[in-house]
Each structure stands twice: as C-alpha cells, then as structure tokens.
Amino acid sequence: MNFSEVFKQSNQLCKVSPDGKYLATCVQYRLVVRDVNTLQILQLYTCLDQVASMEWSSDSLFILCAMYKRGLVQVWSLEQPDWHCKIDEGSIGLVSSRWSPDGRHILNTTEFHLRVTVWSLCNKSVSYIKYPKACQKGMDFSADGRYMALAERRDCKDYISVFVCDDWHLLRHFETDTQDLAGVEWSPNGCVLAAWDSCLEYKMLLYSLDGRLLSTYSAYEWSLGIKSVAWSPSSQFLAIGSYDEKVRILNHITWKKLTEFEHHPTITNSKAVVFKEVEKRPVIPTEDLSIQQIAMESSLFDIQSKYEIPPLPVQVPVVKPDPDRANPKIGISAIAFSVDNRYLATKNDCMPQSVWVWDMQRLGPTAVLEQTAPVRFFAWDPRRPRLALCTGNTKLYLWSPAGCVSVKVPVEGGFQVQSLFWHCSGDSVVLLGKDQLCLCYMATDEEK
Amino acid sequence: MGDWWTPPMMPDPGLGIREFSSVSHIDESPSRHRSPPATRASETNSKHSYSVLTAFCTEENIPQCVAYVNQEAAALGLCGVCVEARGAGPSLGAASALNLLYELLQLQRRGQRTLHDLETQQLKNNSDLEHLQHNNSRLKDQLEHTRRENSGLHEGERQLQLKIRTLQRYLKSEKEEVQKLQSIIASRATQYNHDAKRKERESAKLKERLNQLLVDKRDKRLAIEVANCVGRADGKRSLWKTSKMEARHEGEMYKALLSDYEGRHQVLLQENAELKKLLQLMKKDMVSMLSPRKTTRAHMPAEDSLEQAGSEPDDELCEGSRDPLEQMCEQAREQLANSIRLQWRRLKSHMQRLDSQVSLAASREQEEVISRREHEEAITHMKMELQQCTEFIQTQQQLLQQQLSLPCDEETAALLNDGYLLEEKERLKEEWSLFHEQKKNFEMERKNFTEAAIRLGHERKAFEEDRALWLKTQFLNMAPFVGHRRHATSESRRALTIGAQSGAKVPSSPALSCTSASHTGLSTPTSDPMTLPSTAELYRTLQLIPDSRSQGRCASNSFQSGATMTKSQLRDSCTDCSIFSVVRDGNSAS
C-alpha cells in the first residue's frame, strides 16, 4: 500500500472524473485538475468565488463549480481550457446545482425550493420545473441516465414527477400516498422507484416506471420510521434502515420482507467475527517532556493500532441517545451494498464506533468492526468486496472477507482522514482531510 | 378386713370416730351401726375406748338391739340376725349373725372400694378440671389476641379501602387529564396540521408570487453565458417536443419495462426449468430406489392398500409426466407434483419402515454378527491351539527320544520315573492280588491234594491191610511160590504211579513225595488183579486234579510270561503308552 504526497483542498471538494483519468480539486476559488496516475497538474481554473460545490459531467469533459452564496455556476471544459460558461441564477438564489446525466444540462435548485432551473449548454435554453420538494432526497436519476424522478409538493400533497432526461419531457406525474415524502430512489435497473415517507411514519412505496404502485411496505406504526435506504446493485434487494435499529431487506419479486438484521449490542452469533481495534500509545519518558516538546508531539500522535478478535460474546459500546432532542442519534443511518451484492455494511447511530457487515447469502452478520473512535464514513470498493472506512484519525481501515487491517497514513504532522472515496478502478482511495487530500494506492493482485 | 381395722388402730381415735360418724351419715350407716356388736367381744377384750364410747348393746338391751339390727338389716335387704323370740328371750343365732356380719363386711369393703375409686376419680376430675381451666384461659387469651388482630386487620382494610378510594379518585382524575390532554393533543394536531397547511399554502402562494415577480421582473442577472454552445453528448441534434416525441418516450419507457419484465421472466423460467429438472431427477431417483423394493414387497402379505392403489396410477403418471417441460400446462405440472408427492410419501413411509426394521433388527443382527465373528475367532483360536499342541507334541517326542537315547538329566528322569513307578506300583499291586488269588487257589488245591493223598494213603493202608489179610489168608491157604509173580506187577505199578506223580506235580512237596515214597514203599509188595479197579480209581481221582491244575498252571504260566514280558518292557511300553495317550488327546482336541 502506497501513499501519494499531500495536496491542498478546501471544502472537501475533490472528485475523480467518471472515466477515472483526472482528479479535480478545489482550493478556495481555484479548480485544479490533475492526472490521476502522475498527479501532475493538467489544468488550473480560477472561479469567481470560493467554490461550494463541484461536479464532473458524466462524459468527464466538463466540470461544474457552484458558488451558492453568489448564486453562480461556472462550467469548465477540460478539452478547451478557453471555453467558459457562467450561469447566474440572479436574485432568487441557489442552493443546489448538479449535472443532468447527459452532461449537457445543469439543474439548479433555487432558494426556498422555488423551482428547478434546467440550463442547457447546447442551446442556452432554460426551463423550469416548479414545486420541487425540499426533502432528504428529492431528486434522483436512473442509473442509465434516461429518467429523473422528482419529489414535488403541491396543495399540501406529495407528487412524483418522472422526466425523460433527453428533452425534459414529463413522462409521469402521480400523487403518492405519503404524509411527507422524504426521498425517492431508482432501482439500479431503472424500473422501480422507491419512495419513502419521512421519519414520522414507516412507509415504503414502490412504483413502477410507468407510475403504477407496485407495493407498499410498513414494518410498524407509531414510531420513528425509515432513516436510510439502499438498493442492492442487482436490484434484487432493497435494504431499509430504520430508527428501531434494524435493517429490513425486501425482495424484488413480492416486495415482502426477506429478513431483518438486528443490531444487538451483545454479539453471540458465532458466525460473526468481531474485529476490535486496540490502540497502543508509545510510552514517552517524562524527562523528554520539557526538552523536546515538538518532537515529542509528533510522536504523541504516533499511536499504533491493530485489530483483535475478542472471544464471544462481545459487548458493542452503545451511546444512549437523548430523547428530548430532534434527530436522535439512534437507528441505521448508513447502508451500503458491496458491488457483488454479497455484503451489506451498516452503521447504527447509537453504536457510532461500529460498522456491521452482513452476509447476504447467509442473511446474517459476518463481521463487526469496532473502532476506537466514531466511524465517519465508509465506502465499498467499486470492484471488489472491500470496505474502506475512516474515523477521523490518521488511519485508514480496510475490511475484506479475508480480514481487517488498519493503515496509518504516513504524512508528517498527522493527516486526519475525514472522508474518503474510491477510484472507479478500485485501485486507489482518495483520502480527504480537513484541508488536505492524499491518494492511497492499493497493492494490486499482480504486484502481490 | 384390714381396711376396716385400720382406723381404730390409728393413733388419734377422734379421727376414727369422726370418720365413722361421717361415714355413718351416708347410706351405709346401718351396716356400720351393726358392726360394733359383731366385734364387740374382741373390742371389749382389747379395752378399746371405742367400746366404751359406743355402748350400743349391753346385756340388758340385747333383744332391742337384735330387733333393731334386724330391722336395719331388713331395711338394707339382708336377712336378719334370725332372732328367735321363743323361750326365755330373744337369742342370737350365731350363724345368721355371722352371715350378716359377713355380708356387712362385704358391703363395707365394696363401699370402701367405691369410695377409693371415687376418690381417684375425684382426683382425676380435679386435674382434668385444672387442665380445662388452663386450656380455657389459654383459649381466652388466643381469642383476645385474634380479636385484636382482627380489629387490626379491619383497620388495615379500612385504610386500604380509603387508599383505594383515593387512588381511584386519582385515577379518575388522571384519566380525565389524559383524556383532556389527548383532546388537547388532537386539537393541537389538527391545529398544527391546519396551520402547517395554511403556512404551506401561504408559502406556496409566496413562491408563486415570487416566481411571478421573477418572471415579471425579468431579472437581468438571470442569464447563461456560454462561449460557444456544445454539442450533445450523443452527437445528435436536439429534437422538437412533439406528440411524436411523446409517443416515442412512452414507447421507450414501455420497452424498458418490457425488457426488464422479459429479463425477469427469463430468469424465472430458467430457475423454474432447473427446479423442474431437479424435481424430475429426484423423482427418477425415487422411482429407481423404490422399484426394487416394490418387487420384494409384492411377496409381503402385509401391504397397505393405500400405497398399492397409489402406485398404480403412478406408473402412468410417469409416462404422462415424461415431458412436462414441453407441455408446460397446468395438468402436467399437477401430475408431476402429484407423482412427486406420492413418491415422496412412499419414500417417507419406506424410510420409516426401514427405520423401525433397523431398530428392531439391530440388536438381533448385531448378535448374529457377533456370533459369527465369535465363531470365526474361535476357529482361528482353536487352529492356533492345535498348531501349538502339535508343536508341543513334537517337541515332547523329540525330548523323549533324546531321553531314551541318552539318560538325560536326573531330575527329569526322576520326575518321569515317579510317574512310571506309580503306574508300575499299581500294576504290581494288581498282579500281587492276582498272585494272592492264585496262591490261595494253589493252597486249596494242595490241601485237596493232600487230603486226597491222605485218603489214598488210608485207602492203600486199608488195601494193604486187605491184601495182607488176603495174602495172609492166601499164604495160609496156598503154596509159597506165588509171591514173586506178585512182585513184578507191583513193580510196574510203582513205575506208573511215579510217572503219573512226576507229570502231575511240579512243585512237588516233600510231604507228597514222601507219601509217594511211602506209597511205593508200601505198594511194592502189592500186586493183585483185585487192586486194579482201585488203582484205576486212584488214577481217575488223581487225573481229575491234575487236569484242572495243569490248566491253571498253563494260564498262570502264560500270565507269568506276559507279566515278565511287561516287566521287562515296562519302561518302554509305558512311555509309549503315555505318548500315545497324549497323541490321542491331541486328536480328540482337534
């Protein structure tokens, strides 16, 4: 495992192009495009203000930089550095900007979710979509980029509009039986749309592409409901994480519950391997304290850690949530399927230090990673069943069916990994610190 | 009697009197009154103060006394003192008086006993009373206690009831409150919903207005600046929005949906086909597994009819469901499922039967197996033993041969000899006894012989005397030349006897020879035709004995030779015998 040198970045704005060739980073108001392999700067663009959001177009030719404060969007072309495009949303303001899947349109959501403005780069045309709903995930594009589902709110009722992305033709528009629609998500095959209610009510609605209601699923009533949703890459399973600390798996034929994964604080299942991170602080002699303050400080951060497999049963540390506060720290906040549909990684908010990995063949837990610090983020390798996670310290953690490793990022001064994402080839991971970034290259099989 | 006499003997006479007087007050008083006269004589004699005090009867008032006593006795139902008032005056019948006295005494004693009994009864009753009183007081205490407890409990109950009442009141109030709160909540919820809707509507209105304003205002800033328009990603030109386009989109959508459904359908079909294949395979397996059993089971009389009935249509089902994949119809599927179910049921029953059979026969089979194994083991074991034995025998033979060829070490020889000696001893003993018998026989024979000889001697003597007599008469009657002819005959006769004797007697006793000698000595002069029958007789008598004797001797001789032979060969033969016996043992063992 190798690490690149550290680069600067701001707002954790760092993206690899969809074709995997370029790495774009924003540093204040500058946009830097590098070659992923050589890390040489290919292009340098200067934006009008500090960039708040940045995105590659699907064909890796354009980069969108949004400056929400100023209601501005700037688009840069990689092929033609001279080419420029600026979209001003004017006085109405801007809260979100994103590419359409074809990479020729930009969808801007105005303030107050007044409308969605669709700007075309082909003919400078502008079109509006009214009544978008401000919610958890109000807009989703199908995986093939043909359709867009948009949650709408009209006359105190929830609607879903399905647009054809080609020409923004409204294909379907239907009302949903929800109190407060919280999100929509297409299945990976683009034929089923999952729509779920807000956390006040457990309700999952499944619509066909043509707007037919396929099924409704509700696990319970009178309690906080759905917190997170994830489709398996094969569209076979729909995992629903809820506030009752369970993940329910629906199947794609009957849309009934296949199984449910409970996150018990005591792990007794012998099939589940618990990886417990153990830290070892190096012993520092007290005499050195006054003499070499700085040198020692660096060594202070030099904490060794390794995984241990404690004998069952294992007690997973649980944080008791405050019931009086909104958005309680409880329930499944993150779900992700591995690319081969084999594993499911979940995180329960009241067990912030643990990531659970479930085997979808056995329909049971296969590993529990117990970290010393709360898990910030985890992501699956886009090619292999390999999970990378970070806890805001100087280490990168990797889980695979073979086992678990923790790797310290060998950067001077300490590189605290706040977030990470995989390169699309699965050969490297981009680690994002507070204002730095670093590439971690995985040892490929050929090298081994 | 003693009871009665004790009170007077007490040191304090007053006590006795008092008792007496107190007793006299009771119903038995007459008898007591009557008793003093009966004992009076002795009392007076002993000068008891008693007699002085109670001068019931004096010489003067005897008749009155007697009358009184009679009266009293009659009152008591006793026969009186039988006073005869004839003659000079009333006279006291001694016997009747004594009877009365006796009866009185009896009465007295009975009274005393009852008194005693009553006293003990009294004592008992007293103690019972005490006990009961005690009990009573205890029960009273208990009662008091329980009463107190009861009152306490009553108090507690009252308090609890009070509490319950208050709690119920509380509950009611709480319920009311809850209801109130619920209604409040409901009203709030409706209010909130209403407000939210209102606000939402307002916001929507505002948004609308804002939108309108934005549209109306023609925001100058709202613009897009593009250096030059870029082509579409697919390189095509954008198309006008027309109804044709709409239709195309719809068609595309449905195509996508259809393709998805078709794909899913294909997957399901594939899965279904695989499952069917598996089912077919299973069925085939089951059929093949069950068919041989069927043939065997046809012989079994115990056969449930259900299965038999079920097996018949099964075969045709097999035919019918040969190609269910092609048929793809409901019927075929049903047939297949039915046949599978049937087979499955049969298999299950078969398995159950097998299980039961196995469990039943397990022990038996195990036993059989064990016996066979044991048998084999025994055979091998025996074979081994046999081999060992033969080896053993061979070594023994070798050893024996060695021993025979050269006198081996003393010990083994001694050991061996011991056995032989014992055997020899036995044999010798037997021989000894035989010899003894023979000896006895011989003795008997000798005795017979000697007796015969004696008899012969006597006879000869008589004969000699006869002859002498006869000779004397002859001699006296005839001429003297007759003598030498006689001598010749006696000579021949002598030779004959000797030959006979020598042939007869081997252990010729000197006595016999003596006698024979004496005979010869005696017989020399005797030669007479008259004696011929007697000699023939003698021979006969002699030959009788020698016949038996010769036989016995022959036997004994042969025996002796045999014995000697055995003696000489004893060692050899003995060892041989032992070897043979061992060999025979080995054979028998094998």
Side-chain angles (χ1 to χ4, degrees):
Chain A
M1 207 178 271
N2 298 311
F3 288 86
S4 73
E5 56 179 307
V6 172
F7 304 107
K8 272 193 175 178
Q9 52 92 1
S10 58
N11 274 347
Q12 305 203 337
L13 288 172
C14 176
K15 297 271 165 75
V16 174
S17 65
D19 61 4
K21 284 181 186 162
Y22 312 106
L23 176 73
T25 52
C26 287
V27 184
Q28 303 297 333
Y29 52 88
R30 273 195 299 273
L31 172 68
V32 184
V33 179
R34 293 170 204 266
D35 188 287
V36 164
N37 297 316
T38 61
L39 293 175
Q40 299 254 308
I41 295 175
L42 296 176
Q43 293 293 342
L44 192 75
Y45 306 98
T46 309
C47 297
L48 293 167
D49 199 357
Q50 184 161 355
V51 180
S53 161
M54 183 262 283
E55 194 184 353
W56 281 93
S57 69
S58 59
D59 53 6
S60 308
L61 292 175
F62 302 97
I63 305 165
L64 172 155
C65 293
M67 293 142 270
Y68 295 141
K69 272 183 195 166
R70 293 181 61 157
L72 269 178
V73 175
Q74 280 191 294
V75 186
W76 306 102
S77 167
L78 205 65
E79 284 180 332
Q80 300 162 278
D82 301 335
W83 187 86
H84 61 89
C85 172
K86 191 180 93 182
I87 299 166
D88 195 337
E89 277 293 337
S91 51
I92 198 160
L94 182 67
V95 291
S96 159
S97 179
R98 61 189 297 178
W99 283 102
S100 81
D102 64 353
R104 294 296 177 269
H105 295 84
I106 291 165
L107 286 85
N108 287 340
T109 309
T110 60
E111 232 172 322
F112 312 118
H113 283 76
L114 206 62
R115 64 189 184 196
V116 174
T117 322
V118 184
W119 299 94
S120 169
L121 297 185
C122 299
N123 50 14
K124 297 205 258 181
S125 68
V126 57
S127 44
Y128 303 110
I129 302 169
K130 283 213 267 182
Y131 318 114
K133 188 172 181 180
C135 59
Q136 189 186 340
K137 192 175 184 183
M139 190 194 282
D140 193 42
F141 295 101
S142 63
D144 58 359
R146 286 177 84 100
Y147 303 104
M148 181 183 86
L150 184 72
E152 293 181 4
R153 185 83 177 176
R154 292 182 194 182
D155 303 327
C156 307
K157 280 175 194 157
D158 289 318
Y159 294 88
I160 290 172
S161 292
V162 179
F163 291 93
V164 181
C165 292
D166 265 357
D167 52 2
W168 306 105
H169 168 73
L170 179 65
L171 191 70
R172 284 289 182 273
H173 179 75
F174 49 87
E175 194 185 329
T176 61
D177 183 23
T178 50
Q179 289 291 314
D180 181 15
L181 187 67
V184 288
E185 189 165 329
W186 288 102
S187 69
N189 63 8
C191 289
V192 182
L193 181 70
W196 61 95
D197 214 332
S198 71
C199 63
L200 293 176
E201 201 171 342
Y202 196 116
K203 196 169 209 175
M204 172 63 76
L205 300 155
L206 292 147
Y207 290 97
S208 168
L209 179 59
D210 54 354
R212 282 181 298 119
L213 178 66
L214 293 172
S215 180
T216 307
Y217 178 76
S218 176
Y220 52 85
E221 284 176 292
W222 315 121
S223 184
L224 287 181
I226 297 168
K227 196 167 188 178
S228 54
V229 173
W231 282 95
S232 77
S234 63
S235 308
Q236 203 177 353
F237 304 115
L238 176 65
I240 307 165
S242 51
Y243 280 92
D244 64 342
E245 301 176 55
K246 284 177 188 169
V247 173
R248 291 175 176 80
I249 309 288
L250 306 189
N251 73 75
H252 75 304
I253 293 171
T254 61
W255 302 110
K256 295 266 167 56
K257 188 182 78 180
L258 199 72
T259 185
E260 60 181 39
F261 297 146
E262 288 186 57
H263 296 68
H264 279 299
T266 311
I267 297 157
T268 49
N269 191 333
S270 58
K271 295 256 174 69
V273 183
V274 180
F275 295 96
K276 186 176 179 151
E277 189 195 5
V278 180
E279 281 188 342
K280 262 195 277 179
R281 286 169 189 279
V283 181
I284 303 152
T286 45
E287 302 95 70
D288 296 354
L289 205 81
S290 54
I291 303 159
Q292 285 184 322
Q293 192 91 26
I294 303 152
M296 189 208 60
E297 245 174 6
S298 67
S299 70
L300 246 176
F301 293 110
D302 196 29
I303 299 158
Q304 307 255 313
S305 89
K306 58 169 183 175
Y307 278 109
E308 278 181 359
I309 298 175
L312 295 173
V314 177
Q315 195 77 25
V316 175
V318 176
V319 173
K320 205 148 173 70
D322 186 356
D324 293 332
R325 288 180 63 182
N327 298 316
K329 288 247 173 253
I330 193 168
I332 313 301
S333 63
I335 313 176
F337 278 96
S338 71
V339 73
D340 60 352
N341 302 302
R342 175 76 197 266
Y343 299 101
L344 175 73
T346 60
K347 188 194 158 197
N348 186 359
D349 272 351
C350 65
M351 302 170 181
Q353 298 171 18
S354 306
V355 171
W356 298 60
V357 182
W358 307 82
D359 191 331
M360 290 305 291
Q361 280 183 4
R362 277 198 299 104
L363 295 175
T366 190
V368 179
L369 279 70
E370 193 189 323
Q371 308 294 133
T372 51
V375 176
R376 291 286 177 97
F377 192 78
F378 62 82
W380 285 99
D381 184 332
R383 295 291 169 91
R384 282 166 283 262
R386 187 159 59 174
L387 187 74
L389 58 125
C390 58
T391 62
N393 59 12
T394 61
K395 289 179 206 72
L396 167 71
Y397 304 96
L398 287 165
W399 176 89
S400 74
C404 226
V405 285
S406 75
V407 185
K408 190 182 179 295
V409 182
V411 173
E412 275 183 40
F415 184 95
Q416 300 195 333
V417 186
Q418 303 288 333
S419 179
L420 54 84
F421 62 90
W422 286 86
H423 186 262
C424 55
S425 67
D427 294 335
S428 55
V429 185
V430 179
L431 310 173
L432 300 170
K434 210 164 164 101
D435 48 10
Q436 288 173 311
L437 75 97
C438 169
L439 261 77
C440 168
Y441 300 98
M442 298 289 150
T444 53
D445 296 335
E446 296 89 65
E447 285 171 40
K448 279 173 189 172
Chain B
M1 281 284 226
D3 284 350
W4 176 245
W5 286 112
T6 37
M9 278 184 186
M10 279 170 114
D12 186 12
L15 197 105
I17 297 153
R18 215 191 309 153
E19 199 191 341
F20 185 83
S21 56
S22 67
V23 168
S24 67
H25 287 299
I26 314 169
D27 55 337
E28 280 179 59
S29 56
S31 67
R32 304 254 163 124
H33 279 289
R34 212 187 308 138
S35 46
T39 53
R40 183 193 177 89
S42 58
E43 272 173 24
T44 44
N45 286 343
S46 62
K47 299 265 200 259
H48 211 274
S49 55
Y50 194 116
S51 58
V52 183
L53 275 167
T54 54
F56 167 65
C57 184
T58 51
E59 290 294 328
E60 295 89 49
N61 62 351
I62 283 169
Q64 287 88 348
C65 280
V66 166
Y68 176 74
V69 164
N70 266 341
Q71 206 181 320
E72 288 292 306
L76 272 172
L78 304 168
C79 51
V81 197
C82 272
V83 177
E84 288 137 45
R86 59 193 134 119
S91 67
L92 201 68
S96 58
L98 281 172
N99 272 338
L100 183 67
L101 194 62
Y102 174 72
E103 270 172 40
L104 282 173
L105 278 173
Q106 287 291 320
L107 269 175
Q108 158 68 13
R109 204 174 296 161
R110 217 176 298 145
Q112 201 69 22
R113 214 179 295 137
T114 47
L115 178 71
H116 196 248
D117 285 353
L118 282 169
E119 269 169 1
T120 53
Q121 190 75 33
Q122 175 85 13
L123 272 174
K124 219 187 281 173
N125 284 342
N126 277 346
S127 71
D128 276 1
L129 189 68
E130 210 169 303
H131 177 70
L132 283 171
Q133 270 169 354
H134 201 75
N135 238 2
N136 205 12
S137 65
R138 196 166 52 82
L139 284 169
K140 258 183 195 162
D141 282 355
Q142 221 168 358
L143 186 69
E144 193 64 29
H145 184 69
T146 45
R147 258 196 204 133
R148 229 176 293 135
E149 237 171 48
N150 202 13
S151 64
L153 284 171
H154 270 297
E155 180 58 28
E157 196 185 10
R158 202 181 56 79
Q159 278 176 359
L160 281 172
Q161 252 163 0
L162 261 174
K163 215 185 256 178
I164 283 168
R165 222 164 289 154
T166 52
L167 280 172
Q168 267 171 343
R169 222 178 302 131
Y170 272 130
L171 184 69
K172 211 186 241 174
S173 63
E174 288 290 319
K175 263 183 186 167
E176 274 166 14
E177 196 144 335
V178 163
Q179 216 158 3
K180 214 161 67 185
L181 282 172
Q182 266 176 343
S183 65
I184 286 170
I185 285 169
S187 68
R188 285 261 170 91
T190 51
Q191 204 184 334
Y192 164 78
N193 275 340
H194 191 261
D195 280 4
K197 259 183 194 168
R198 200 163 49 85
K199 288 252 167 78
E200 207 178 320
R201 261 194 214 115
E202 265 174 30
S203 77
K205 225 182 271 174
L206 275 173
K207 275 182 190 173
E208 196 73 24
R209 181 107 179 102
L210 199 58
N211 241 338
Q212 199 63 44
L213 276 173
L214 279 170
V215 170
D216 288 350
K217 203 183 161 193
R218 288 256 169 225
D219 196 351
K220 290 266 168 58
R221 285 172 61 199
L222 183 72
I224 177 164
E225 290 172 25
V226 187
N228 56 311
C229 291
V230 288
R232 281 163 61 94
D234 51 7
K236 284 184 206 159
R237 281 166 168 258
S238 59
L239 295 159
W240 291 106
K241 280 192 187 179
T242 54
S243 57
K244 205 176 136 193
M245 278 301 292
E246 265 178 47
R248 221 188 78 191
H249 284 315
E250 286 279 315
E252 270 176 11
M253 181 195 79
Y254 281 122
K255 223 184 266 174
L257 272 179
L258 206 68
S259 69
D260 175 56
Y261 279 124
E262 267 174 4
R264 222 190 277 183
H265 184 65
Q266 279 297 312
V267 169
L268 283 174
L269 263 185
Q270 212 174 319
E271 206 177 308
N272 217 0
E274 267 166 33
L275 284 173
K276 266 181 186 152
K277 221 183 279 174
L278 186 75
L279 209 62
Q280 283 281 337
L281 208 80
M282 250 168 72
K283 211 197 101 182
K284 226 178 274 173
D285 274 5
M286 262 196 252
V287 167
S288 64
M289 213 159 72
L290 292 173
S291 53
R293 184 178 60 89
K294 237 190 281 175
T295 55
T296 54
R297 279 170 66 209
H299 300 295
M300 288 182 178
E303 177 66 50
D304 47 332
S305 57
L306 191 140
E307 267 184 47
Q308 276 288 26
S311 69
E312 278 166 34
D314 175 59
D315 293 333
E316 59 151 317
L317 276 178
C318 283
E319 299 298 316
S321 59
R322 184 144 289 169
D323 46 2
L325 280 174
E326 282 79 23
Q327 284 187 13
M328 271 304 191
C329 62
E330 202 112 317
Q331 220 182 346
R333 205 186 313 153
E334 239 168 63
Q335 276 182 351
L336 185 70
N338 274 341
S339 71
I340 286 281
R341 221 169 283 145
L342 204 81
Q343 295 281 0
W344 186 247
R345 206 190 308 145
R346 199 182 300 167
L347 185 72
K348 223 158 77 178
S349 67
H350 179 59
M351 287 305 288
Q352 277 169 354
R353 190 172 303 135
L354 277 181
D355 268 355
S356 63
Q357 274 179 359
V358 162
S359 61
L360 261 170
S363 52
R364 206 185 332 147
E365 259 176 45
Q366 227 168 0
E367 273 174 26
E368 276 176 21
V369 164
I370 281 169
S371 72
R372 202 174 297 159
R373 203 177 300 153
E374 268 185 307
H375 186 70
E376 279 172 8
E377 275 178 4
I379 281 173
T380 50
H381 185 72
M382 276 157 82
K383 270 181 186 164
M384 270 174 64
E385 230 174 349
L386 178 67
Q387 210 173 342
Q388 277 180 347
C389 281
T390 46
E391 277 172 12
F392 185 62
I393 286 158
Q394 273 174 353
T395 48
Q396 256 191 341
Q397 270 178 333
Q398 265 182 342
L399 280 169
L400 277 167
Q401 271 167 357
Q402 277 176 2
Q403 207 180 25
L404 282 172
S405 59
L406 61 135
C408 59
D409 54 308
E410 306 284 286
E411 281 178 36
T412 46
L415 271 168
L416 279 166
N417 279 346
D418 270 353
Y420 304 146
L421 279 169
L422 269 169
E423 243 175 284
E424 224 175 290
K425 228 180 217 173
E426 283 290 310
R427 222 164 278 182
L428 281 170
K429 240 179 214 170
E430 273 176 43
E431 271 172 44
W432 190 252
S433 59
L434 216 79
F435 279 141
H436 265 285
E437 239 172 282
Q438 277 180 355
K439 201 176 163 186
K440 233 185 259 174
N441 283 345
F442 284 142
E443 291 286 337
M444 286 247 293
E445 272 171 42
R446 203 165 67 178
K447 222 162 93 184
N448 285 344
F449 196 76
T450 44
E451 271 172 20
I454 289 160
R455 225 184 305 140
L456 199 67
H458 281 299
E459 275 177 26
R460 187 172 283 177
K461 209 172 166 184
F463 174 67
E464 286 291 335
E465 276 172 14
D466 273 355
R467 201 172 64 163
L469 210 80
W470 185 71
L471 276 172
K472 210 194 249 169
T473 55
Q474 281 266 327
F475 195 69
L476 289 170
N477 296 342
M478 291 168 80
F481 62 87
V482 185
H484 77 271
R485 199 186 59 190
R486 269 212 186 216
H487 182 73
T489 54
S490 71
E491 277 279 14
S492 67
R493 261 186 70 196
R494 208 179 111 198
L496 257 168
T497 54
I498 287 164
Q501 270 177 352
S502 66
K505 294 186 262 181
V506 172
S508 53
S509 56
L512 241 132
S513 61
C514 251
T515 51
S516 72
S518 64
H519 271 295
T520 49
L522 280 167
S523 64
T524 35
T526 60
S527 54
D528 202 83
M530 278 295 284
T531 60
L532 274 172
S534 68
T535 48
E537 232 178 56
L538 176 70
Y539 284 150
R540 213 183 304 136
T541 52
L542 277 171
Q543 254 177 345
L544 268 173
I545 301 154
D547 258 346
S548 65
R549 197 188 288 168
S550 70
Q551 273 173 2
R553 201 213 256 131
C554 226
S556 74
N557 242 346
S558 67
F559 192 84
Q560 251 181 351
S561 67
T564 48
M565 191 269 285
T566 46
K567 251 181 223 172
S568 63
Q569 291 182 337
L570 200 62
R571 198 170 278 178
D572 266 274
S573 63
C574 270
T575 50
D576 280 349
C577 271
S578 65
I579 287 159
F580 281 125
S581 70
V582 169
V583 171
R584 210 186 300 134
D585 280 355
N587 283 330
S588 68
S590 66

